Amino acid sequence: MALIKYNTLVEEVHGATSPGRIHRQKKFKDASGRFLGFAHPETYDITKPRDWNKTPARKDELRNQQLWGKASYIAARELESDEGVAYWTKRFEAQLPRTRGSKPDPYASYDKKTKTRKRYIRFDAFVRAMVRNQLAELKKSSPDKP
């Protein structure tokens, strides 16, 4: 993946500009819709698109996909109720880097580059990741249960 620098003539590019080349830059907002920042602009070429019919997901990759699917479903159900939204918003805001005295969530993934737990900027990504990591912990502690 290549990083690109935009000059003053090009402020934003999203999507494909030529066959096989994708441009994107993520924008982050908190749960209340307040703008938090931009990710690095990205440009990447799709050189070898995967043929899912020839090489379907297997073993660990399949398990990881199923775990993320289950986590997404549970996270969506959690955020349907007011109590769930309040609970997750409190946890989310407690781990935000801009919150004074905050610490990363204990279920956050470990970042090998910074040697600390990750902090999330997107609320929906935070909820899915925490649910997924908690499901993974449950699977490790009791692997015989489905």
Side-chain angles (χ1 to χ4, degrees):
M1 190 177 329
L3 294 177
I4 58 174
K5 284 192 172 183
Y6 292 105
N7 60 20
T8 55
L9 297 175
V10 180
E11 189 173 316
E12 287 186 35
V13 177
H14 295 281
T17 56
S18 61
R21 177 165 287 164
I22 304 292
H23 303 277
R24 73 177 183 182
Q25 183 176 25
K26 296 178 183 174
K27 297 177 184 177
F28 300 116
K29 295 181 181 181
D30 65 5
S32 63
R34 190 174 36 212
F35 177 74
L36 294 174
F38 288 104
H40 293 290
E42 303 170 337
T43 299
Y44 55 94
D45 294 327
I46 303 172
T47 54
K48 297 179 183 176
R50 183 173 182 171
D51 184 355
W52 288 92
N53 294 327
K54 288 183 182 177
T55 55
R58 293 191 178 110
K59 297 182 184 175
D60 289 340
E61 183 182 13
L62 181 62
R63 267 185 249 121
N64 190 40
Q65 287 176 0
Q66 290 170 342
L67 195 59
W68 273 109
K70 190 174 184 179
S72 295
Y73 175 76
I74 292 171
R77 300 283 296 179
E78 286 273 322
L79 295 176
E80 286 176 357
S81 68
D82 292 337
E83 297 86 23
V85 171
Y87 170 75
W88 286 108
T89 302
K90 184 178 176 184
R91 267 181 79 175
F92 174 69
E93 289 176 354
Q95 62 87 42
L96 280 174
R98 63 175 169 77
T99 305
R100 189 173 192 174
S102 68
K103 295 179 182 173
D105 196 270
Y107 283 101
S109 301
Y110 187 76
D111 189 359
K112 292 177 184 175
K113 289 181 186 176
T114 61
K115 296 186 172 53
T116 59
R117 295 199 175 273
K118 293 182 182 179
R119 292 179 181 237
Y120 294 83
I121 297 175
R122 280 186 47 195
F123 178 68
D124 60 332
F126 169 77
V127 176
R128 276 194 309 268
M130 295 307 107
V131 171
R132 185 241 181 250
N133 292 344
Q134 288 173 349
L135 287 173
E137 281 289 318
L138 286 173
K139 281 206 180 269
K140 282 182 188 176
S141 64
S142 58
D144 56 336
K145 293 182 182 177

